[in-house]
């Protein structure tokens, strides 16, 4: 053993081969500051070992290297840009030093090599992977670009166009794909990996493989003619500008960095990368996207913990109500391996539920993501039934009938009466109190809400709603089932609208008030989509949700919060509802909905909507983008803060991910609390105070003011005691 650290070791094998092994104390290998320190020491140990003739890099974990330790990033990135450049250069210099070892090097890549893990392999002369490898540079998903030499080495190994595609999408690639573009030198079965890599390294030591020739292109400028350079980078920049847009700067800065570095040697190219990385590290998008990743880890960690704590396993499920929502729930459960009974009272509904599931599967087959055998297997996991007898032996029931408390109460009582004592009953409701529904059943401790979002197969979020009598065991089992379905569950406490709908309707109220004051709903949609980054503006979203549904929910929220969310007089949503304009479901709402010449959904602003609003709205008035954003977002953020303070949702991470996964809050903003903290609490309060006269939804809480005065963060503070 020539070196032994806590995460890294280097052992001299026969024939002068040094095995450099990553074996961190945790479950995965990753680059943190301590590992970098050991990395430097390993290089020094190899350089001073007279017997060393070649290096094989291996991992003692199931995954080679998962990248850098992101938890260190946010605090480090608070430094000024000029301080970040030498910080990242210090790290990239270590990879350069390893690449400069005066002997051949080879990476034996197993499992996963992402981010810094992939960059570690790029610093080697040769790369051999097992057949199960997933490799790539996903930094763009964090609002960053590779910072350990990835933008320099990858283009010189696989070509600039391939490298830009890899880095701008952030996709992980299979071994066969990496071999095809020239990143890998060989792919072997997992059990052959180490021997194959050692065999190749021995050939390089013996001079049968020219390792110096393999290394040289990574030290030189890109071999592109002037015309090739213009064609490659102009095309890449055009495609990235169209796809990424202005809210995601990382892909464009990354491709410009590669372009600027293309005529430089490694030293110059690395300097370009260091500067580009530091610039991106200071962007709001990077702060938000890194925060988003960390918040998602909170959800995954809680789901994993629930799975371990769950006393009852869910091996068979049932959904009551076989409409579009029921069919989507049935599909998701069956697709992820949990057989499910889909029960309804008529064949027509069952046909609709089955056709919903079959339609989703058919599209996957058409896109090559699934074969017919797999499709048949999923459909066989769904058992349609008109009888409660088929539900008797299930572990969990998801009630998804019409959104009516009396109907739901009756169905819940019926199904509970035929289930086993320990079976769990849930309700897929978006507005009805779980405590109210619990009055219809005899075992409220086994009952909770399980709120899916439509379309079920696309929307990641499930709200697990805890009633006052719901047991911890029930919550754990339902969270585990939701995670098993491939969803991201958050646990919320019962209240009107639960979490997502509760914070959405103040946003809609801000929108309605603007329309009443003369704002054009199309202009509002444009600002909230193009400027703020929502996937759809509020008017279009209301049409998609259903104007009738929104009007009903507004009534529920008004009853629950009579002072703060009192229904607006002449609310444009109610006006459309009373005139039977329900949105997409009947083709008319704020917009008239139809099909274009290619059969794709289309929408045009509805003249009828303008005519209906004219009688009750002020004369047309233009509002600035800043005011439109403030008037809609202040009410939403304020309500999110209230939900945290009241314990409706437990953490800022869950509050953020709930809106990102539930209603498409712009990811580059990181969620409502990350958005609040990016603005700055004091700045947000000043902005909100300008509109405080408009009503309670614009008035910030004392808790928020106290947080601002104390300089605290919602991500490190127990909000309920702040």
């Amino acid at each position: 053993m020539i070196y032994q650290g806590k995460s890294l070791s280097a052992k001299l094998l026969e024939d002068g081969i040094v095995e450099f092994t990553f074996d961190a104390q945790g479950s995965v290998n990753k680059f943190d500051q301590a590992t970098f320190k050991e990395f430097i020491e390993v290089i020094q140990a190899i350089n001073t070992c007279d017997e060393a003739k070649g290096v094989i890099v291996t991992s003692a974990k199931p995954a080679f290297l998962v990248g850098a330790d992101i938890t260190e990033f946010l605090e480090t990135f608070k430094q000024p840009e000029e301080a970040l450049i030498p910080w990242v250069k210090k790290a990239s210099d270590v990879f350069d030093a390893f690449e400069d070892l005066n002997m051949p090097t080879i990476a034996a890549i197993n499992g996963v090599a992402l981010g810094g893990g992939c960059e570690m392999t790029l610093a080697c002369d040769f790369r051999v992977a097992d057949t199960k490898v997933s490799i790539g540079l996903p930094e763009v998903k964090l609002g960053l670009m590779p910072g350990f030499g990835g933008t320099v080495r990858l283009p010189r190994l696989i070509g600039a166009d391939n490298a830009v595609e890899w880095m701008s999408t952030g996709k992980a690639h299979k071994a066969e794909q990496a071999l095809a573009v020239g990143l890998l030198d060989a792919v072997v079965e997992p059990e052959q990996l180490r021997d194959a890599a050692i065999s190749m390294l021995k050939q390089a030591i013996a001079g049968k493989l020219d390792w110096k020739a393999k290394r040289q292109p990574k030290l030189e400028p890109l071999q592109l003619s002037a015309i090739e350079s213009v064609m490659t980078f102009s095309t890449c920049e055009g495609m990235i500008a169209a796809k990424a847009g202005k809210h995601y700067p990382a892909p464009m800065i990354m491709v410009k960095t590669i372009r600027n570095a293309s005529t430089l040697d490694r030293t110059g190219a690395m300097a370009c990368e260091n500067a580009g990385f530091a610039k991106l590290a200071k962007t709001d998008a990077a702060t938000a996207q890194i925060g988003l990743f960390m918040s998602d880890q909170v959800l995954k960690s809680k789901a994993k913990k629930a799975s371990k704590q769950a006393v009852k396993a869910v091996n068979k499920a049932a959904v009551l109500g076989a409409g579009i929502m029921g069919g989507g729930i049935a599909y998701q459960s069956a697709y992820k391996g949990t057989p499910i009974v889909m029960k309804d009272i008529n064949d027509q509904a069952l046909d609709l539920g089955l056709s919903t599931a079959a339609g989703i599967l058919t599209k996957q087959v058409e896109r090559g993501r699934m074969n017919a055998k797999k499709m048949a297997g999923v459909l066989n996991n769904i058992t349609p039934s008109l009888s409660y007898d088929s539900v008797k032996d299930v572990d969990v029931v998801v009630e998804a009938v019409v959104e009516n408390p009396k109907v739901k109460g009756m169905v819940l009582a019926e199904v509970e009466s035929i289930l086993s004592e320990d079976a769990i009953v849930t309700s897929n409701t978006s507005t009805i109190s779980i405590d109210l529904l619990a009055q219809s059943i005899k075992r409220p401790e086994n009952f909770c809400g399980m709120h899916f979002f439509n379309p079920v197969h696309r929307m990641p979020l499930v709200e697990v709603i805890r009633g006052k009598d719901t047991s911890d065991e029930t919550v754990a089992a339902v969270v585990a089932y939701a995670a098993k379905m491939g969803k991201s569950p958050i646990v919320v406490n019962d209240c009107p609208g639960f979490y997502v709908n509760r914070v959405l309707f103040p946003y809609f109220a801000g929108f309605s008030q603007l329309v009443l004051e003369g704002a054009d709903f199309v202009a509002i949609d444009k600002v909230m989509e193009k400027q703020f980054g929502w996937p759809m503006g509020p008017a279009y979203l209301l049409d998609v949700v259903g104007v009738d549904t929104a009007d009903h929910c507004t009534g529920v929220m008004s009853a629950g919060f009579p002072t703060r969310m009192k229904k607006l007089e002449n609310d444009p949503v109610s006006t459309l509802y009373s005139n039977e304009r329900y949105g997409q479901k009947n083709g008319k709402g704020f917009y008239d909905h139809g099909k274009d010449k290619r059969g794709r959904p289309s929408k045009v602003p509805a003249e009828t909507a303008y005519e209906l609003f004219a009688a009750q709205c002020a004369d047309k008035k233009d509002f600035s983008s800043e005011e439109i954003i403030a008037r809609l977002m202040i009410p939403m953020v304020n309500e999110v803060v209230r939900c945290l303070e009241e314990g409706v949702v437990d953490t800022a991470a869950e509050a953020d991910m709930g809106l990102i996964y539930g209603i498409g809050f712009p990811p580059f903003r990181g969620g409502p609390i990350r958005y609040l903290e990016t603005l700055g609490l004091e700045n947000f309060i000043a902005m909100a105070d300008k509109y405080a006269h408009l009503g309670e939804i614009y008035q910030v809480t004392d808790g928020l003011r106290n947080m601002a005065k104390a300089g605290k963060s919602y991500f490190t503070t127990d909000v309920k005691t702040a």
Side-chain angles (χ1 to χ4, degrees):
M1 189 72 68
I2 64 173
Y3 179 84
Q4 180 63 62
K6 292 182 178 180
S7 297
L8 308 181
S9 66
K11 180 170 63 175
L12 187 64
L13 308 178
E14 61 181 9
D15 300 324
I17 293 174
V18 175
E19 184 169 13
F20 172 15
T21 302
F22 284 80
D23 190 10
Q25 292 179 321
S27 59
V28 295
N29 295 320
K30 57 187 176 181
F31 281 114
D32 55 18
Q33 293 304 312
T35 301
F36 269 115
K37 183 176 182 297
E38 291 190 4
F39 193 1
I40 295 169
E41 293 168 356
V42 168
I43 294 169
Q44 291 171 341
I46 294 172
N47 272 324
T48 55
C49 179
D50 294 334
E51 298 172 70
K53 297 179 181 178
V55 180
I56 175 175
V57 183
T58 62
S59 166
K61 306 289 186 189
F64 182 76
L65 254 165
V66 298
D69 186 354
I70 295 169
T71 60
E72 296 183 342
F73 281 12
L74 286 180
E75 196 60 37
T76 301
F77 289 177
K78 291 179 182 178
Q79 298 179 53
E81 187 175 330
E82 56 270 22
L84 287 175
I85 293 175
W87 172 80
V88 71
K89 182 181 186 301
K90 185 178 179 181
S92 64
D93 282 350
V94 180
F95 286 79
D96 289 354
F98 178 80
E99 186 171 53
D100 290 339
L101 285 171
N102 191 28
M103 62 191 74
T105 57
I106 189 167
I109 313 165
N110 62 304
V112 175
L114 297 175
C118 178
E119 290 176 288
M120 179 69 228
T121 74
L122 299 179
C124 295
D125 300 319
F126 302 94
R127 285 157 294 281
V128 180
D130 70 37
T131 53
K132 297 180 180 179
V133 150
S134 177
I135 188 168
L137 295 167
E139 288 85 355
V140 69
K141 295 179 180 180
L142 299 178
L144 300 169
M145 68 183 194
F148 302 151
T151 68
V152 178
R153 296 185 177 96
L154 190 64
R156 287 156 177 78
L157 287 171
I158 68 173
D161 49 354
N162 285 329
V164 169
E165 191 273 332
W166 273 50
M167 289 186 280
S168 64
T169 62
K171 292 179 181 177
H173 296 263
K174 295 180 180 179
E176 296 83 359
Q177 296 169 313
L179 182 66
V181 296
L183 179 63
L184 299 177
D185 296 288
V187 174
V188 298
E189 293 299 323
E191 63 272 14
Q192 300 171 344
L193 178 62
R194 187 170 179 275
D195 288 344
I198 288 176
S199 175
M200 187 175 289
L201 184 60
K202 285 181 177 179
Q203 291 182 63
I205 293 171
K208 295 178 181 178
L209 292 175
D210 192 342
W211 59 273
K212 291 184 178 180
K214 284 279 288 182
R215 183 182 298 182
Q216 193 60 33
K218 295 186 289 176
L219 309 178
E220 299 176 346
L222 266 170
Q223 300 302 307
L224 290 174
S225 69
I227 294 177
E228 287 174 329
S229 179
V230 170
M231 291 292 290
T232 297
F233 292 114
S234 296
T235 301
C236 289
E237 288 177 12
M239 291 175 64
I240 287 172
K243 288 187 177 182
K246 64 180 181 179
H247 297 303
Y248 296 91
M252 187 61 77
I253 289 178
M254 179 271 297
V255 73
K256 287 183 176 180
T257 297
I258 297 174
R259 182 176 200 161
N260 293 337
S262 63
T263 59
L264 305 174
D265 63 9
R266 189 186 69 182
T267 300
M270 283 294 187
C272 290
E273 181 181 276
N274 297 157
F277 185 92
K279 182 177 182 178
L280 284 171
K282 298 301 295 180
T283 62
D284 289 344
T287 300
Q289 289 174 260
I290 293 167
L292 187 156
F293 176 86
M294 294 170 67
S295 294
D296 187 54
Q297 296 306 299
V298 172
L299 265 65
K300 286 182 169 64
S301 175
K302 288 198 168 191
K304 188 175 181 179
K305 183 178 179 181
S307 297
K308 291 180 179 178
Q309 293 177 340
V311 176
K312 184 175 182 60
V314 176
N315 297 313
K316 186 177 181 181
V319 59
L320 308 181
I324 293 175
M325 179 63 79
I329 293 169
Y331 157 80
Q332 194 66 35
S333 183
Y335 179 67
K336 290 296 183 177
T338 302
I340 188 165
V341 176
M342 184 167 59
K343 194 268 177 193
D344 210 293
I345 58 175
N346 64 71
D347 286 320
Q348 186 177 2
L350 290 175
D351 289 343
L352 176 58
L354 283 172
S355 64
T356 297
I360 299 168
L361 290 164
T362 299
K363 286 183 179 179
Q364 294 206 45
V365 172
E366 290 173 348
R367 292 170 182 168
R369 297 175 182 172
M370 179 186 293
N371 57 38
K373 184 178 179 181
K374 170 72 172 175
M375 175 178 174
V378 174
L379 289 174
N380 285 336
N381 264 345
I382 302 173
T383 304
S385 177
L386 298 173
S387 171
Y388 273 125
D389 287 342
S390 59
V391 178
K392 286 182 179 180
D393 61 342
V394 303
D395 301 304
V396 65
V397 169
V398 182
E399 169 272 306
V401 301
V402 63
E403 190 77 353
N404 180 297
K406 290 183 179 179
V407 175
K408 283 183 178 288
M410 181 179 66
V411 170
L412 290 168
E414 286 177 352
V415 73
E416 185 193 36
S417 67
I418 59 97
L419 294 172
S420 64
E421 289 279 324
D422 65 341
I424 294 169
V425 181
T426 73
S427 177
N428 176 51
T429 174
S430 57
T431 59
I432 303 171
S433 167
I434 294 303
D435 288 333
L436 174 64
L437 292 175
Q439 295 174 14
S440 300
I441 61 177
K442 296 177 181 178
R443 297 187 292 276
E445 67 276 9
N446 290 357
F447 174 67
C448 69
M450 195 176 188
H451 180 204
F452 291 84
F453 291 77
N454 201 23
V456 175
H457 67 289
R458 289 183 182 171
M459 302 302 288
L461 184 69
V462 170
E463 282 184 302
V464 177
I465 305 115
R466 181 197 293 271
K468 62 182 179 63
D469 296 317
T470 307
S471 70
D472 291 341
E473 292 79 12
T474 294
V475 170
V478 174
V479 167
Y481 175 49
K484 188 179 178 182
M485 293 174 77
K487 297 301 179 184
S488 296
I490 62 170
V491 178
V492 304
N493 285 317
D494 189 27
C495 69
F498 314 131
Y499 170 60
V500 174
N501 280 337
R502 174 172 163 177
V503 303
L504 179 60
F505 276 83
Y507 170 85
F508 284 150
F511 162 72
S512 290
Q513 184 60 47
L514 266 180
V515 174
L516 288 173
E517 292 178 27
D520 181 358
F521 64 83
V522 175
I524 296 174
D525 274 4
K526 185 176 180 180
V527 168
M528 297 312 292
E529 291 170 6
K530 302 296 184 184
Q531 299 296 318
F532 193 80
W534 284 100
M536 57 185 76
Y540 185 28
L541 178 58
L542 283 160
D543 274 5
V544 172
V545 168
V547 172
D548 52 341
T549 301
D551 186 71
H552 166 74
C553 291
T554 301
V556 171
M557 301 308 296
S558 177
F561 306 99
T563 59
R564 188 162 69 253
M565 298 191 200
K566 182 180 178 181
K567 199 166 186 177
L568 293 172
E569 187 176 347
N570 295 325
D571 188 337
V573 175
S574 298
T575 299
L576 293 177
Y577 172 64
S578 62
N579 284 273
E580 298 183 348
R581 297 185 66 85
Y582 303 147
Q584 273 189 339
K585 63 182 65 177
N586 72 342
K588 49 188 180 179
F590 286 93
Y591 297 90
D592 288 326
H593 300 271
K595 301 277 188 180
D596 63 16
K597 293 179 180 179
R598 297 183 180 180
R600 297 174 301 188
S602 65
K603 63 181 175 69
V604 294
E607 288 300 325
T608 303
Y610 284 119
E611 292 167 4
L612 290 170
F613 299 156
Q616 58 201 44
C617 297
D619 292 339
K620 185 178 179 182
K621 179 182 175 183
D622 293 330
F623 292 83
S624 69
S625 298
E626 292 76 16
E627 182 169 1
I628 289 172
I629 291 171
R631 293 279 295 269
L632 271 65
M633 293 310 302
I634 291 169
M636 174 178 278
V637 172
N638 276 341
E639 203 62 33
V640 172
V641 169
R642 288 188 178 94
C643 285
L644 280 169
E645 291 178 351
E646 295 171 18
V648 172
V649 63
D650 193 39
T651 64
E654 289 164 288
D656 278 354
M657 299 310 296
L659 295 198
I660 286 172
Y661 284 160
I663 54 176
F665 196 98
F668 68 89
R669 296 193 184 275
I673 296 299
R674 187 70 64 184
Y675 167 62
L676 166 65
E677 295 205 349
T678 300
L679 286 176
L681 271 57
E682 292 283 6
N683 293 333
F684 177 83
I685 291 168
M687 181 171 66
D689 285 348
K690 285 174 55 181
Y691 300 102
H693 64 282
L694 293 176
E696 194 177 340
I697 59 174
Y698 289 93
Q699 295 163 12
V700 302
T701 67
D702 290 340
L704 175 53
R705 293 186 190 276
N706 292 337
M707 290 279 285
K709 287 178 182 177
K712 293 181 178 179
S713 166
Y714 282 99
F715 292 97
T716 57
T717 304
D718 184 350
V719 179
K720 295 183 284 297
T721 61

